[in-house]
Amino acid sequence: MSAADLTDGAEGATARLAERLLGMRANREVIPPDPNHSVRWHQHDYPSPVARWNYHPEYEIHLIRKGTGKFIVGDHIGTFEAGQVSLVGSGLPHDWVSDLEPGEVLENRDAVIQFDAKWVEQTAALVPEMAEVKPLLDQSARGIEFLGRSAETAAAAIEAMGSTTGLERLRHLLELFAVLARAPQDERRYLADEWFRPQLDSQAAAVVDIVLEYVFGNHAGTVKMSEAAALVGMPEPTFSKYFKRATGQNFSDLVRKLRLAHARRLLEHSDKAVSEICYEVGFSNLSNFNRHFLNDAGETPRAYRQRLHG
């Protein structure tokens, strides 16, 4: 990439930031109620104005239908592919960023269900069987990614909700709650750390959204905190403190986690050498990569691949 390309990219991101800070990107997403249904079911494309780093008081069940990419839930960073099902708790920031070709749009990438905790509480007061959902909602404060058969069955129920109305839709919703609430522990991945507590203000989502766009788009190359700070118009020391307060992690930790998540995907889905993966995801030397991977995963990259592939 040339210096001119970098300049154009920075200017474009700065322009987008100006638009978002003028009100196009709120830090809290407002979920419109659906007067005809107990919970809200909707689908959206990517890119889309609603696909951004955001939080809201409603719980969210999220299905990725197509594509691959990176996601952040709280302070957890990972990669996703079609079929991923997640439950995001009330107030927990989240974002899914797809890998796209220039100008590409993924139509109806997401199917999303959103509901208020009060609705579950009020329903449980009348229908005691709904109390089975309460522990699941408590655990969702960290965000949960569902795996294996639980994810497959949940995805089918989510899709069935979108194509039905009335009692049929309600039946599929209860089926979905049962699948998620009864998912075995080995088919759940808890995401954010238990201590994660973001401190959000009126501009946090707009600022973090721009930074995530920059990092996710460049993590395999050169990523500098000075460039990220410049994109959001902050001095580097101010940006460092602001970013940590808003996201619960340091900028350098975010970049490292993203590179390691990308490395895990390549170890799982490619036969590239560990040394090749090291440089492809943005690490400058193999020993540094191995050390960070071991600290993060509890095993070396080679052992990680061998365990997955036998």
Side-chain angles (χ1 to χ4, degrees):
M1 179 178 291
S2 69
D5 290 333
L6 288 172
T7 300
D8 291 344
E11 289 177 351
T14 301
R16 290 192 296 272
L17 172 66
E19 292 179 341
R20 293 170 188 179
L21 291 183
L22 286 173
M24 293 182 67
R25 295 290 180 111
N27 69 309
R28 170 175 163 174
E29 182 181 359
V30 177
I31 307 300
D34 185 339
N36 299 315
H37 298 99
S38 300
V39 303
R40 181 177 185 241
W41 186 99
H42 69 106
Q43 57 189 353
H44 65 78
D45 302 342
Y46 186 87
S48 165
V50 300
R52 65 188 190 277
W53 193 82
N54 69 89
Y55 74 99
H56 41 75
E58 292 81 5
Y59 293 84
E60 177 171 305
I61 302 172
H62 189 273
L63 168 64
I64 289 285
R65 291 161 147 173
K66 59 183 72 172
T68 61
K70 307 95 178 174
F71 74 100
I72 177 169
V73 172
D75 61 350
H76 174 87
I77 296 174
T79 59
F80 68 80
E81 56 189 30
Q84 186 200 48
V85 174
S86 305
L87 171 61
V88 179
S90 174
L92 185 61
H94 52 276
D95 191 16
W96 280 261
V97 179
S98 289
D99 302 321
L100 298 179
E101 296 296 329
E104 183 182 7
V105 174
L106 296 179
E107 295 185 358
N108 295 327
R109 182 196 70 167
D110 310 74
V112 180
I113 297 167
Q114 294 161 326
F115 56 93
D116 190 278
K118 290 182 179 179
W119 172 77
V120 176
E121 294 172 1
Q122 292 168 353
T123 304
L126 298 173
V127 184
E129 290 83 357
M130 280 290 290
E132 186 178 349
V133 180
K134 181 62 165 58
L136 178 71
L137 299 186
D138 293 341
Q139 295 160 3
S140 73
R142 297 178 57 189
I144 306 171
E145 179 182 1
F146 294 90
L147 311 170
R149 182 61 179 167
S150 294
E152 294 173 3
T153 308
I158 294 169
E159 295 288 14
M161 282 186 64
S163 60
T164 55
T165 58
L167 290 175
E168 278 298 298
R169 174 174 282 200
L170 184 59
R171 177 174 70 84
H172 291 303
L173 173 63
L174 294 176
E175 176 189 353
L176 175 61
F177 280 154
V179 169
L180 300 184
R182 298 171 184 175
Q185 290 300 317
D186 62 356
E187 293 187 352
R188 304 184 187 200
R189 179 181 292 133
Y190 297 96
L191 302 175
D193 286 329
E194 292 182 278
W195 50 262
F196 175 75
R197 294 293 184 275
Q199 299 180 37
L200 303 169
D201 59 34
S202 60
Q203 294 183 345
V207 170
V208 174
D209 194 38
I210 285 291
V211 174
L212 292 179
E213 184 176 314
Y214 163 70
V215 174
F216 283 12
N218 298 280
H219 68 90
T222 301
V223 177
K224 296 181 179 180
M225 186 164 67
S226 59
E227 291 183 357
L231 288 176
V232 297
M234 292 182 181
E236 194 170 334
T238 302
F239 169 77
S240 178
K241 295 177 182 178
Y242 186 91
F243 189 83
K244 175 65 180 294
R245 186 171 67 248
T247 67
Q249 58 191 314
N250 295 320
F251 179 79
S252 59
D253 290 336
L254 175 92
V255 176
R256 175 181 53 79
K257 289 179 181 179
L258 181 59
R259 287 173 170 167
L260 291 173
H262 189 194
R264 285 193 293 271
R265 173 188 282 176
L266 292 176
L267 288 166
E268 293 171 18
H269 300 293
S270 80
D271 57 1
K272 294 180 179 180
V274 171
S275 57
E276 184 179 356
I277 291 174
C278 161
Y279 298 112
E280 182 170 335
V281 302
F283 283 91
S284 58
N285 65 77
L286 185 58
S287 61
N288 193 38
F289 169 62
N290 284 327
R291 177 172 59 84
H292 281 297
F293 195 99
L294 177 62
N295 289 338
D296 184 74
E299 57 188 336
T300 65
R302 193 175 304 279
Y304 179 85
R305 171 177 273 169
Q306 290 174 343
R307 177 172 58 80
L308 291 177
H309 298 290

